[in-house]
Amino acid sequence: MSSVRHLYRRCWFHLSKSRCVEMTCNGSQKRLLSTTKSCRTIMPAWVIDKYGSNDVLRFTKNASFPVINYPNEVIVKVSAAGLNPLDISMRGGYGAATLSMKRDPLNIKQSGSEFPLVLGRDVSGVVMECGLDVKYFRERDEVWAAIPPWKQGSLAEFVVLSANEVSHKPKSLSHIEAAAIPYVATTAWSALVNTGGLSKDNCAKKRILILGGSGGVGTFAIQMLKAWGAHVTVTCSQNAERFVRELGADHVVDYTAGPVEEPLRALEKFNLILDNVGGDTERWALSLLKPWSGAKYVTLVTPFLQNTDRLGIADGMMQTAATMATKALKHLVSGVHYRWGFFAPSGPALDEIRAMVDAGKIRAVVEETFSFSQVPQAFDKMEKGHARGKTVVEISKGGDDV
């Protein structure tokens, strides 16, 4: 174990031409490591030192350089980072109790040990170093990933990830375009495939309703479902109708024209509903499903993190389980299935999505790009809402200095 730790005590420094030497661990494990003229332990990043509004964002050149702690991890040099509404919520402390438990299950560290915290859940970049057990990736591979919210994010020059969270980047996309997809894609995949039971083999001609179709998850879900042959109905505002139709939506209902449930009730019932809106939609949405046919309602707006933040981990989880069981049983007697969907990082899912992107079936939807120095402005833009695509921050240009 000590030899492995010793092997990981490496140093990085930007060189125009890196040199490599072959290192031997106990005479058996061989690996190429970059040799450097001086150690590197810090990097530039945008961090927060406490939860709050946009003024808690702080740029530093002294953020801790990520370290490989497990043999299945990789360090990625970030080329572009995508922002999501979750970043706004996390900046304000959303999910702090649950995420702290995930970071420190034994509660060894002091409260606030997550700071300085780096936000950003989407990354596209270049592999800089691989752990000893990583076989699928090599240094200089171009990759993309959705970063779990309990890990340090992508608004930094480098990030460390598990190899099973990473996938090779689509060749047809730039890093900026690629950074617009992973988080919303893996969230939609988790909700529709893992929870909803859909796949490219069983989706043809199924009727799917997406509540809130013009956001990040909705725009990706439209494209994936259409690529799989589904009939897709979405709700959105009137000024987003053309946008979602261009992505492939078959039928669009304007929620600003009046109670949205009324025109939806006039349509043929659905096989699955994906709810990105929440609120009172549960009150009427499940009546739009085909009863006793295996139809599912999957909502991405759940009380799990609010419960744990408000009640603590144990009581919050008990409250969440009770709520979920009650709602599931209530609707099961009506012949429909009630489910909660959650983000789940998945390199294999991104492998599948990469194939669809390179086949031209899914395109990146980037609304605006910001430079690394403009991260606060990017957050300001995100907070205004009503986006028609993703907000992306360009961290570095290419990976020539890896």
Side-chain angles (χ1 to χ4, degrees):
M1 184 65 183
S2 60
S3 62
V4 174
R5 288 177 178 168
H6 176 74
L7 189 58
Y8 282 149
R9 294 193 186 108
R10 79 284 176 273
C11 302
W12 287 105
F13 187 77
H14 285 294
L15 300 173
S16 59
K17 291 184 180 179
S18 61
R19 297 177 292 125
C20 291
V21 297
E22 192 173 72
M23 301 291 289
T24 301
C25 180
N26 290 340
S28 58
Q29 180 66 56
K30 293 185 178 180
R31 185 174 179 211
L32 288 178
L33 293 178
S34 294
T35 61
T36 59
K37 293 182 179 179
S38 62
C39 292
R40 179 165 187 180
T41 59
I42 57 175
M43 65 176 179
W46 282 91
V47 302
I48 63 172
D49 301 303
K50 61 181 179 179
Y51 298 117
S53 57
N54 218 27
D55 57 3
V56 301
L57 289 167
R58 173 175 68 89
F59 178 75
T60 177
K61 293 183 178 180
N62 299 313
S64 296
F65 197 92
V67 175
I68 289 179
N69 291 310
Y70 301 96
N72 68 329
E73 291 182 329
V74 297
I75 292 177
V76 175
K77 177 175 171 58
V78 182
S79 296
L83 296 184
N84 296 276
L86 178 64
D87 293 303
I88 304 293
S89 300
M90 287 181 62
R91 187 198 63 195
Y94 172 75
T98 303
L99 298 178
S100 293
M101 182 192 70
K102 182 68 176 177
R103 297 182 188 108
D104 183 22
L106 300 179
N107 197 28
I108 296 173
K109 300 177 182 178
Q110 294 182 345
S111 176
S113 61
E114 67 268 32
F115 301 118
L117 181 63
V118 181
L119 301 173
R121 296 303 106 196
D122 288 299
V123 60
S124 182
V126 180
V127 174
M128 186 149 181
E129 183 182 5
C130 298
L132 293 173
D133 287 350
V134 176
K135 308 298 182 186
Y136 192 53
F137 302 101
R138 302 177 65 181
E139 281 90 350
R140 297 184 179 272
D141 280 356
E142 293 190 328
V143 296
W144 62 345
I147 304 173
W150 54 87
K151 293 188 176 183
Q152 292 285 37
S154 55
L155 291 175
E157 191 176 7
F158 297 91
V159 66
V160 63
L161 293 164
S162 297
N164 58 7
E165 296 162 353
V166 179
S167 169
H168 290 103
K169 180 183 75 68
K171 296 184 185 301
S172 59
L173 298 184
S174 67
H175 283 295
I176 289 175
E177 292 169 325
I181 293 179
Y183 184 82
V184 296
T186 50
T187 301
W189 185 279
S190 177
L192 295 171
V193 178
N194 301 345
T195 304
L198 298 180
S199 71
K200 61 183 178 182
D201 299 320
N202 68 9
C203 210
K205 298 184 179 179
K206 283 191 175 179
R207 291 181 52 78
I208 313 296
L209 170 62
I210 301 175
L211 299 173
S214 61
V217 174
T219 55
F220 178 85
I222 291 169
Q223 296 182 82
M224 185 174 77
L225 292 169
K226 288 307 298 177
W228 288 351
H231 181 282
V232 179
T233 298
V234 304
T235 65
C236 65
S237 63
Q238 184 180 15
N239 60 11
E241 179 174 351
R242 180 179 177 183
F243 171 61
V244 297
R245 285 194 182 278
E246 288 175 350
L247 295 175
D250 297 291
H251 190 81
V252 181
V253 177
D254 176 14
Y255 68 78
T256 64
V260 71
E261 61 266 34
E262 294 180 5
L264 289 173
R265 286 196 181 106
L267 303 175
E268 182 182 343
K269 290 188 181 295
F270 298 94
N271 300 103
L272 185 140
I273 297 174
L274 176 63
D275 187 357
N276 300 298
V277 177
D280 70 343
T281 54
E282 290 184 16
R283 178 177 53 81
W284 49 263
L286 284 98
S287 65
L288 304 175
L289 291 168
K290 296 179 180 178
W292 308 109
S293 64
K296 295 183 178 71
Y297 166 88
V298 181
T299 178
L300 289 168
V301 185
T302 74
F304 174 59
L305 292 180
Q306 291 98 322
N307 284 345
T308 54
D309 285 343
R310 181 171 55 90
L311 302 173
I313 299 298
D315 290 344
M317 292 182 72
M318 289 180 63
Q319 178 65 52
T320 299
T323 301
M324 177 63 200
T326 300
K327 291 185 175 183
L329 289 172
K330 172 187 173 182
H331 296 293
L332 189 60
V333 298
S334 301
V336 296
H337 298 275
Y338 176 95
R339 297 285 187 271
W340 285 348
F342 296 95
F343 159 75
S346 174
L350 287 173
D351 289 343
E352 298 277 351
I353 292 160
R354 179 187 71 234
M356 287 190 279
V357 171
D358 282 337
K361 296 178 180 178
I362 292 176
R363 63 181 176 91
V365 183
V366 178
E367 183 175 48
E368 194 168 352
T369 303
F370 293 83
S371 69
F372 196 22
S373 64
Q374 295 176 311
V375 167
Q377 293 94 312
F379 271 80
D380 281 337
K381 186 262 175 191
M382 284 283 298
E383 286 193 278
K384 293 177 182 178
H386 301 289
R388 298 291 178 265
K390 290 292 291 288
T391 298
V392 177
V393 176
E394 185 175 28
I395 307 296
S396 63
K397 296 182 182 296
D400 296 336
D401 54 351
V402 172

